[in-house]
Amino acid sequence: KKLEGVGMVNQQMTDLEDQAAGYLRQIMDLESEVKKTQSLQKQVDSLQMKLVTLEKERSDKSDSLQNTATEIAELKSLLGSAEKAKKMYESELKELRAQQAVEQEDVSAVQGFDTQAPQLSKEQKEKMVRLEYENKKLKEELEAAKNAAPAEAAASAAPAASGDAAALQAEVTSLKEELA
């Protein structure tokens, strides 16, 4: 009986040792999983930071793209109004030159009105000089807008996506051609 009891105790001890060895293996596996979890958590954190940075950059680029589009629309409007004013001044200048030519012919045909002829041509000359001056100012403003637009558009569109940047550059080029 004692031998059977000792054999059973030995059997129980062996079973307990096997069970303890199994628990030890489980503990080791869990510790390695914890180490892996820490490295994976670091990766998740770094990827989240990258995601936040990329979203911020995308937002900034989107804003700069919108600003550039708004600026292009404003420049187109300015270009249209400048061209209308230029056409108006050019047509008025042509009319004045035609009137001056007609009046010079009339003055040379009529001998008795020498005192009025210089006054009319003088007034017309003043008006023509004023119109030419305003035309020159409009051309300078147009040039200034033309020179300022590509610089600002290039500065704000540089970080934009390559497809958007190409489209904006093509639009700026077309505006330059319209201004020229």
Side-chain angles (χ1 to χ4, degrees):
K1 274 186 168 179
K2 285 186 179 181
L3 280 179
E4 280 181 24
V6 170
M8 266 194 179
V9 169
N10 278 342
Q11 181 64 32
Q12 287 176 351
M13 284 289 275
T14 305
D15 289 343
L16 288 174
E17 284 176 358
D18 288 344
Q19 193 177 16
Y23 289 147
L24 185 59
R25 267 189 308 246
Q26 284 181 349
I27 289 172
M28 297 298 274
D29 289 342
L30 289 174
E31 284 179 356
S32 69
E33 288 296 321
V34 166
K35 289 179 184 177
K36 288 180 187 177
T37 303
Q38 289 175 353
S39 67
L40 290 176
Q41 185 63 41
K42 287 180 184 177
Q43 283 181 339
V44 167
D45 291 342
S46 68
L47 290 175
Q48 284 178 340
M49 289 174 58
K50 284 182 184 179
L51 178 65
V52 167
T53 304
L54 290 174
E55 285 178 350
K56 184 177 180 182
E57 286 179 15
R58 183 188 57 81
S59 174
D60 291 344
K61 288 179 183 180
S62 173
D63 290 345
S64 67
L65 181 62
Q66 288 177 346
N67 290 341
T68 303
T70 303
E71 185 178 334
I72 287 173
E74 290 173 359
L75 289 173
K76 282 182 178 180
S77 173
L78 178 65
L79 175 65
S81 64
E83 286 177 345
K84 286 178 185 177
K86 178 182 172 186
K87 287 178 183 178
M88 181 186 72
Y89 287 125
E90 285 176 347
S91 67
E92 194 171 335
L93 184 62
K94 286 179 183 178
E95 289 175 14
L96 287 175
R97 286 182 180 165
Q99 283 179 354
Q100 184 181 17
V102 168
E103 288 177 4
Q104 284 178 352
E105 289 175 6
D106 290 345
V107 168
S108 63
V110 178
Q111 294 292 328
F113 297 104
D114 287 342
T115 58
Q116 292 178 352
Q119 289 177 349
L120 290 176
S121 65
K122 186 176 183 180
E123 291 172 3
Q124 289 177 346
K125 284 181 183 179
E126 287 177 6
K127 191 169 184 180
M128 187 169 26
V129 167
R130 252 186 272 122
L131 288 173
E132 287 175 347
Y133 177 73
E134 289 177 5
N135 193 13
K136 181 180 176 185
K137 277 180 66 177
L138 283 173
K139 285 181 181 178
E140 288 173 357
E141 288 177 10
L142 195 58
E143 275 297 315
K146 182 174 119 179
N147 291 337
E152 291 175 4
S156 63
S162 62
D164 294 337
L168 289 175
Q169 187 62 34
E171 194 165 347
V172 167
T173 305
S174 69
L175 286 175
K176 283 183 182 178
E177 290 172 0
E178 287 180 20
L179 289 173

